[in-house]
Amino acid sequence: MSTSDVAIVGTGPNGLAAGVVLARAGLRVELHEGAGTIGGGLRTAPLFDSGVVHDICSAVHPMAAASPFFRAFDLAARGVELLQPEISYAHPLDGGRAALAHRSLAATCEHLGADGPAWRRLMGPLLQHSEAVVDLVLSGRRALPPDPVAALLLASRVAVHGSGLGAARFRGEEAPALLTGVAAHAVGKLPSVASAAVAMLLGHLAHGTGWPLPRGGSGRIAQALAEDITAHGGVFHTGHHVRDLAELRGTRVVLLDTGVKGFLALAGGRLPRAYARRLERFRYGPGAAKVDFLVSEPIPWSDPAVGRAGTVHLGGTHAEMVRQETANTRGVRTGEPFVLLVDPAVTDPGRALPGKRPVWAYAHVPNGDPTDPHELVRARIERHAPGFGDTVLAHRSVTAAGYESYNPNYVGGDIGSGAMTLYQSLARPVPRLDPYRTPLPGVFLCSAATPPGPSVHGMSGYLAALSALRHAFGIRDMPDLAPLPVPHALPESR
């Protein structure tokens, strides 16, 4: 039995963000993690060599540089250095060509030639209203937008690029491929309203706050969050798999950084039947299958400029990606999956040793797919980097089905904790005015299964924590998240 004010189950980025807010509000917070280490999707560990670390899940963090929670938390002031690649992302095409999204919008437009003006018209206005666009998308979408101009800019672009009309705005192959590769981060049918929103959000950030990598790996973000929690009296319990909410009786409030399936299991038969039925109808998206490589040298891209990019999309043309992603959504495996690849040492040279460097690669596959992705991913890379296989010293594969064993939130390998459809973007996990409150008194959801959804932004945890402060503790003043000196005596719990 717990005697804390707050128990948080799960220590992914949202559980940690919730812990920061609640511990800084003066509450006694305990966090429970089933794995041996905290972090969820923010884990970094050596896999093949003690001197070379690999990001186990997420590697590149545009939202950690842009989200309201992390802007207030101030990672830089806490020693987390977000390193910016010269080229945010690249998209190789056949014939040794590549489309390049430079940090500089001007350089990107110049590289796109005849499609440069269209790219500038698409991204330029979003950049001018970037903070408002980010805040709108990550707001939880339960209030009128404070900046109507940003809302109009975003909505007009999503309407076009969420339909089949978007690619027709460009003349060549490079620009449509560049944009569709970003849309594919939604991991679902293309085109769609949800994928277009992702493309507009991440696409314009590539030329703004960037697509950075934390120096030393993603685990540095989790470490900074955990250090703040412990500095304010929070306690972590790792290797402790909470299997039933009854284990946490005595705690005033419980926040669950768990997916819908996990919440149903923890709640048992306590949930009202109508609410439980809605949760049972929650849909999951396609899966991700991952390959970690240890290689002897930088990837030998046909276009050397790709080797300066922080992220590489391997998906072919716009039409090819539409076919691949839509097939995955229907449960049909393709022979050439969309692959996201990161060579971290391009941006963070300290991640490599002489003759040894990590490479991170995800393939999009049908939910629950049991196929070892190694050969498919390796072939996808070799298509644009002949000779890559000769540099591979070791590899490790995780199937889509296997990802659920690693993290129960990733049902069938769905690393977004639920399909990013239009409906599930707005009503996540069920239609409620406050999606973080559940029918169980004192129990709140704070995972990516709640708005605003997946990515390392901390906002689901932040918004759930604010809801818990208001409804369970009567606290309406938002605690300061800036890295201030910790007081000698913490306030009494309320």
Side-chain angles (χ1 to χ4, degrees):
M1 177 182 292
S2 174
T3 58
S4 61
D5 294 313
V6 178
I8 298 174
V9 179
T11 62
N14 287 307
L16 293 172
V20 166
V21 173
L22 296 167
R24 280 177 166 257
L27 301 170
R28 296 191 303 266
V29 178
E30 296 188 16
L31 297 95
H32 303 266
E33 172 57 55
T37 57
I38 66 165
L42 287 173
R43 293 189 178 110
T44 302
L47 295 178
F48 312 107
D49 185 287
S50 60
V52 179
V53 295
H54 297 252
D55 291 313
I56 306 304
C57 289
S58 58
V60 181
H61 296 282
M63 301 320 301
S67 89
F69 170 76
F70 280 113
R71 291 201 305 263
F73 187 72
D74 195 351
L75 286 168
R78 299 167 187 277
V80 180
E81 189 176 357
L82 297 179
L83 303 175
Q84 298 284 359
E86 173 191 351
I87 297 171
S88 294
Y89 64 96
H91 194 110
L93 293 164
D94 289 340
R97 298 170 296 149
L100 307 173
H102 293 261
R103 281 293 305 286
S104 162
L105 178 60
T108 304
C109 294
E110 181 179 357
H111 174 80
L112 290 174
D115 281 327
W119 193 269
R120 186 184 300 278
R121 288 193 297 272
L122 182 66
M123 297 299 177
L126 294 175
L127 276 172
Q128 292 171 11
H129 295 265
S130 183
E131 189 168 305
V133 169
V134 171
D135 290 357
L136 172 62
V137 176
L138 298 186
S139 65
R141 297 177 285 278
R142 291 300 184 275
L144 292 174
D147 186 337
V149 174
L152 180 61
L153 288 170
L154 183 62
S156 61
R157 285 157 173 76
V158 167
V160 172
H161 292 275
S163 70
L165 302 175
R169 295 294 180 96
F170 302 110
R171 303 178 189 176
E173 283 189 339
E174 284 83 356
L178 199 63
L179 190 63
T180 307
V182 185
H185 282 243
V187 196
K189 177 181 177 292
L190 293 177
S192 70
V193 170
S195 68
V198 169
M200 295 307 111
L201 176 64
L202 296 182
H204 93 273
L205 288 177
H207 310 300
T209 51
W211 288 21
L213 282 74
R215 186 184 295 279
S218 297
R220 286 288 299 115
I221 297 176
Q223 181 183 348
L225 292 165
E227 287 172 352
D228 190 80
I229 292 169
T230 55
H232 289 84
V235 177
F236 287 85
H237 304 283
T238 55
H240 177 213
H241 195 144
V242 177
R243 301 185 184 278
D244 194 289
L245 290 175
E247 298 174 40
L248 303 173
R249 63 184 182 274
T251 302
R252 293 180 63 183
V253 166
V254 175
L255 279 83
L256 301 176
D257 187 9
T258 64
V260 167
K261 184 177 178 181
F263 177 35
L264 284 166
L266 284 165
R270 300 177 183 88
L271 289 169
R273 189 58 199 147
Y275 182 85
R277 279 198 299 267
R278 287 177 175 175
L279 292 181
E280 289 162 358
R281 290 196 294 266
F282 189 72
R283 292 173 53 196
Y284 295 95
K290 185 163 182 276
V291 186
D292 293 290
F293 295 98
L294 183 69
V295 300
S296 60
E297 60 188 66
I299 298 173
W301 298 109
S302 297
D303 184 339
V306 177
R308 307 202 309 272
T311 300
V312 180
H313 297 149
L314 302 170
T317 65
H318 162 79
E320 288 172 328
M321 285 181 282
V322 167
R323 286 196 297 270
Q324 292 154 12
E325 294 298 277
T326 301
N328 281 337
T329 304
R330 295 171 178 165
V332 178
R333 187 182 337 128
T334 70
E336 293 187 316
F338 179 84
V339 170
L340 288 88
L341 179 144
V342 178
D343 181 350
V346 168
T347 309
D348 182 5
R351 295 280 296 274
L353 294 176
K356 295 177 183 177
R357 60 195 288 136
V359 170
W360 173 106
Y362 268 118
H364 290 175
V365 298
N367 189 281
D369 188 73
T371 307
D372 184 326
H374 169 242
E375 291 299 331
L376 289 173
V377 170
R378 184 165 167 165
R380 207 62 164 132
I381 301 170
E382 287 261 0
R383 178 171 170 176
H384 301 287
F388 169 76
D390 297 334
T391 73
V392 175
L393 303 173
H395 80 274
R396 184 199 73 152
S397 298
V398 181
T399 66
Y403 248 120
E404 188 171 353
S405 300
Y406 164 74
N407 187 333
N409 285 8
Y410 301 160
V411 176
D414 177 1
I415 57 176
S417 296
M420 287 300 292
T421 62
L422 175 60
Y423 177 78
Q424 284 197 176
S425 297
L426 299 173
R428 194 174 179 88
V430 299
R432 285 174 76 86
L433 187 60
D434 184 341
Y436 313 101
R437 295 179 73 186
T438 78
L440 300 180
V443 178
F444 296 77
L445 280 176
C446 69
S447 70
T450 63
S455 193
V456 179
H457 44 60
M459 289 300 294
S460 298
Y462 169 82
L463 293 169
L466 294 187
S467 179
L469 286 176
R470 287 194 306 271
H471 296 293
F473 298 100
I475 300 173
R476 295 191 173 274
D477 294 333
M478 170 65 195
D480 186 359
L481 301 184
L484 301 173
V486 179
H488 294 296
L490 295 174
E492 293 295 325
S493 63
R494 309 183 194 188

